[in-house]
Amino acid sequence: MVPCNILMSMNNPTSSYKSAEILEPITPVGVNQGETVLILDFGSQYAQLIARRVREAGAFSILLSPDTPIEKLATYAPAGIVLSGGPSSVSEKGAPRCDERIFELGVPILGICYGMQLGCELLGGTIEAAHAREYGRSVLKVLDTTGLFRGMPTDTAAWMSHGDQVEIVGDDFKILAETSTCPLAAVSHKTIPFYGVQFHPEVTHTPHGVELLRNFLYKICGIKGTWRMSDFMEAQCEKIREIVGDSKVLCGLSGGVDSSVVAALLHRAIGDQLVCVFVDNGLLRKNEREFVETTFRDHFQIDLRVVDAAKEFLDDLSGVTDPQKKRTLIGHRFIDVFKEAATEIESHTDDTIRFLAQGTLYPDVIESGHGYSGAAANIKLHHNVGGLPEELGFELIEPLRDLFKDEVRKLGEVLGLPDGIIWRHPFPGPGLAVRCLGEVAEPKLAVLRDCDEILLEEIVAANLYRSTDQVFAVLLPVQSVGVMGDGRTYESVVAIRAVETQDFMTADWARIPYDILASISNRIINEVRGVNRVVYDISSKPPATIEWE
């Protein structure tokens, strides 16, 4: 895997790359027939959450563009289809729509919010602006406790977020639930396997929403819940061997979760055909290089080549303060170093390296719009999707591109990776360069490494590492007045950043207890020469980002 954010820093959406067949399997690898659920995304902010809920229930989910033709939908042999919510009005010009032949597939379909409205309209219903818009929690009265609402209370809460609603449906529909302002809060068709709910069962604010989704999957779609990570691993290994053959595969190992799991998976699949390259760019955490070497070369016996390019990277960054320019320079230098390493490896082997492995994840694919172009797609050009410079000349292998982050961790457990790697917090590809605000220089990096090490030691000691999702120190380009002993100081300020998140698309600052923050601050100020003030970042994402640069 090319380390995190490196290729994104190239900022070149027109870059092309060769794709190995493994990129977009029609039948998902390691998924039994009849265990796939398709989700058509009409722009819902909860689309990824629906996909996660389906997978948590034991089925495999795939997000697709809402206008995917029925012929392509059929190739997945889906057990069911979910039509997501969305911000549009069904009646407005240009509103996203699905293939009107979708009901010809004969598989159960669940419409959520906008998806319910569109499905009902296609089946002859009428959609109108609601007399009283519903935003937030509403009391739902369940009229039919069989099927979709099996085992649920007759009075429960549901999370609403709609301005339009279904006003009229024909005699072919059955009303399943209502609220005080929405008489058709849930419906089903009597002869076509279509179900619609005006509320959002995927969010935690709907307390019995997961039960409703499980009823849809197990009672209506008939899934067996047979999707297991061990099956995925074995099937993906088989697919990798089929694609790679006798060729060599190059993997850029960063020591993070994604690249580590990719390396372990490839090593299991093809053994000595895998060559890993770790680039020491001089911007790493304290003892990072030694950690990676010990773990992968000594423990896993992987062919690991370490390239020391610290001087080249730091020379490039001399005098540079603009964050985007930092990322661009680091990205270009990384590509040069990686190309040189690949050439050197090829010169000492009999085989040409055909493939480059990357740790692209499913959210990367969704956000970048590659292989998926839903109404909410194309949020950003992601570092691992579509940014590989063509001159590298490799075919890509992205064996994790169907997985969410938590699923990657599960795969790591199945592969036998130690907890210390599986649960590592993310680390940016440009490394400490984007946590050392202003000009990057070795003395400042040394200070930042020591601060970061103390911070993580205290977080681990307080048993908070697993309950937080990313924790790090930032060296600010300001100095402040302080007093140490009887003397005045004028030294650096360090900011502490700790966040909690499920998907890193949004995040909230972690409520670390004051006594632990006090210990962190006292240790940094007392043990790290050159720092006399520590501050705590209490910004959420959005509006702030997780990293400072």
Side-chain angles (χ1 to χ4, degrees):
M1 167 187 159
V2 177
C4 188
N5 289 329
I6 289 294
L7 292 179
M8 181 176 68
S9 69
M10 305 296 288
N11 196 26
N12 182 11
T14 62
S15 293
S16 59
Y17 59 84
K18 301 175 185 177
S19 301
E21 183 187 347
I22 200 170
L23 295 188
E24 291 188 55
I26 293 298
T27 301
V29 174
V31 181
N32 294 333
Q33 188 77 5
E35 295 291 293
T36 299
V37 174
L38 306 180
I39 300 163
L40 303 191
D41 178 14
F42 292 92
S44 171
Q45 59 181 317
Y46 303 127
Q48 280 200 43
L49 185 55
I50 299 171
R52 291 176 63 88
R53 293 285 185 259
V54 170
R55 293 195 184 183
E56 288 166 1
F60 191 82
S61 60
I62 299 175
L63 277 164
L64 294 173
S65 172
D67 58 356
T68 303
I70 188 174
E71 291 80 9
K72 183 171 182 180
L73 297 178
T75 63
Y76 291 94
I81 296 174
V82 177
L83 309 181
S84 83
S88 303
S89 173
V90 170
S91 58
E92 72 184 37
K93 185 178 180 180
R97 301 182 72 82
C98 63
D99 191 319
E100 297 191 2
R101 301 170 295 165
I102 193 169
F103 301 109
E104 295 176 15
L105 288 171
V107 301
I109 298 174
L110 173 65
I112 297 175
C113 198
Y114 179 91
M116 171 190 178
Q117 297 165 17
L118 178 60
C120 287
E121 185 195 59
L122 291 174
L123 293 171
T126 302
I127 316 302
E128 302 285 350
H131 300 295
R133 297 184 176 188
E134 287 185 295
Y135 295 98
R137 187 170 293 183
S138 296
V139 176
L140 184 74
K141 184 176 180 60
V142 177
L143 305 177
D144 184 340
T145 55
T146 63
L148 199 63
F149 290 91
R150 181 178 176 179
M152 295 176 58
T154 54
D155 291 290
T156 185
W159 187 260
M160 295 282 192
S161 179
H162 67 99
D164 293 350
Q165 64 187 34
V166 179
E167 287 291 328
I168 302 172
V169 289
D171 294 337
D172 290 331
F173 276 88
K174 181 179 181 180
I175 302 174
L176 305 179
E178 64 183 11
T179 71
S180 60
T181 59
C182 184
L184 302 178
V187 299
S188 66
H189 197 277
K190 294 178 181 177
T191 58
I192 296 173
F194 174 75
Y195 301 79
V197 294
Q198 186 57 67
F199 55 91
H200 290 273
E202 69 273 21
V203 302
T204 55
H205 303 295
T206 302
H208 293 279
V210 171
E211 295 173 45
L212 184 146
L213 289 174
R214 288 181 65 87
N215 283 338
F216 176 70
L217 296 172
Y218 284 88
K219 305 301 179 183
I220 297 172
C221 297
I223 73 160
K224 306 299 182 184
T226 58
W227 186 58
R228 296 291 181 268
M229 191 53 68
S230 57
D231 297 331
F232 179 91
M233 178 190 69
E234 295 298 342
Q236 193 68 298
C237 284
E238 183 179 341
K239 188 70 173 178
I240 290 169
R241 287 190 287 267
E242 176 187 333
I243 296 297
V244 170
D246 296 328
S247 300
K248 289 278 188 180
V249 177
L250 195 62
C251 176
L253 187 59
S254 70
V257 178
D258 303 337
S259 70
S260 298
V261 172
V262 167
L265 180 64
L266 286 165
H267 189 251
R268 181 184 181 92
I270 58 175
D272 293 341
Q273 292 172 241
L274 172 68
V275 181
C276 290
V277 174
F278 177 80
V279 177
D280 184 349
N281 58 11
L283 304 169
L284 306 174
R285 289 170 285 199
K286 198 167 185 177
N287 302 320
E288 182 76 5
R289 176 171 169 174
E290 293 79 4
F291 171 79
V292 171
E293 288 187 282
T294 299
T295 301
F296 290 94
R297 181 181 288 157
D298 300 340
H299 181 69
F300 283 97
Q301 305 296 311
I302 286 177
D303 184 358
L304 175 64
R305 316 294 176 91
V306 177
V307 181
D308 189 343
K311 184 180 185 304
E312 290 86 344
F313 279 91
L314 292 178
D315 285 348
D316 289 343
L317 294 171
S318 179
V320 177
T321 59
D322 178 73
Q324 189 58 31
K325 189 174 182 181
K326 287 183 188 179
R327 290 179 177 271
T328 301
L329 288 170
I330 293 169
H332 282 293
R333 174 60 65 180
F334 180 88
I335 294 299
D336 291 341
V337 171
F338 203 76
K339 284 171 60 179
E340 185 177 340
T343 301
E344 184 176 342
I345 292 169
E346 287 184 326
S347 68
H348 291 87
T349 61
D350 296 330
D351 299 321
T352 300
I353 297 174
R354 279 186 57 199
F355 298 95
L356 174 68
Q358 289 192 174
T360 307
L361 304 190
Y362 200 37
D364 304 341
V365 177
I366 295 168
E367 290 185 3
S368 304
H370 287 260
Y372 161 68
S373 55
N378 297 311
I379 298 170
K380 62 181 180 182
L381 174 66
H382 199 275
H383 57 277
N384 278 345
V385 186
L388 183 70
E390 186 175 10
E391 61 268 21
L392 279 181
F394 296 118
E395 295 179 58
L396 285 183
I397 292 181
E398 298 174 303
L400 308 183
R401 68 182 279 126
D402 287 329
L403 302 181
F404 288 102
K405 188 76 171 186
D406 57 326
E407 294 169 330
V408 173
R409 296 191 196 277
K410 291 177 183 176
L411 178 57
E413 291 176 342
V414 173
L415 287 163
L417 285 170
D419 284 352
I421 288 181
I422 293 172
W423 295 100
R424 290 198 93 186
H425 288 180
F427 187 67
L432 297 181
V434 293
R435 294 178 180 175
C436 182
L437 274 58
E439 184 178 2
V440 178
E442 182 52 44
K444 296 170 69 176
L445 291 170
V447 169
L448 183 54
R449 286 191 190 97
D450 288 342
C451 293
D452 199 61
E453 182 181 44
I454 290 171
L455 168 61
L456 291 176
E457 283 179 356
E458 291 296 314
I459 291 295
V460 170
N463 200 29
L464 292 175
Y465 193 80
R466 290 279 289 269
S467 61
T468 52
D469 295 288
Q470 197 165 358
V471 179
F472 57 91
V474 181
L475 186 64
L476 304 185
V478 296
Q479 292 184 306
S480 69
V481 175
V483 177
M484 289 188 178
D486 295 325
R488 176 182 180 275
T489 63
Y490 190 59
E491 296 178 328
S492 296
V493 179
V494 168
I496 302 303
R497 182 72 157 142
V499 299
E500 298 172 353
T501 179
Q502 287 192 341
D503 51 21
F504 290 91
M505 297 178 69
T506 62
D508 195 12
W509 60 279
R511 271 60 170 179
I512 295 177
Y514 291 156
D515 58 336
I516 298 171
L517 288 174
S519 296
I520 293 168
S521 176
N522 288 337
R523 282 197 61 192
I524 288 176
I525 291 173
N526 288 320
E527 298 178 30
V528 182
R529 187 177 296 274
V531 177
N532 69 357
R533 191 178 299 271
V534 175
V535 297
Y536 189 50
D537 183 348
I538 58 170
S539 309
S540 296
K541 176 189 178 181
T545 54
I546 294 177
E547 297 287 347
W548 278 48
E549 286 192 344

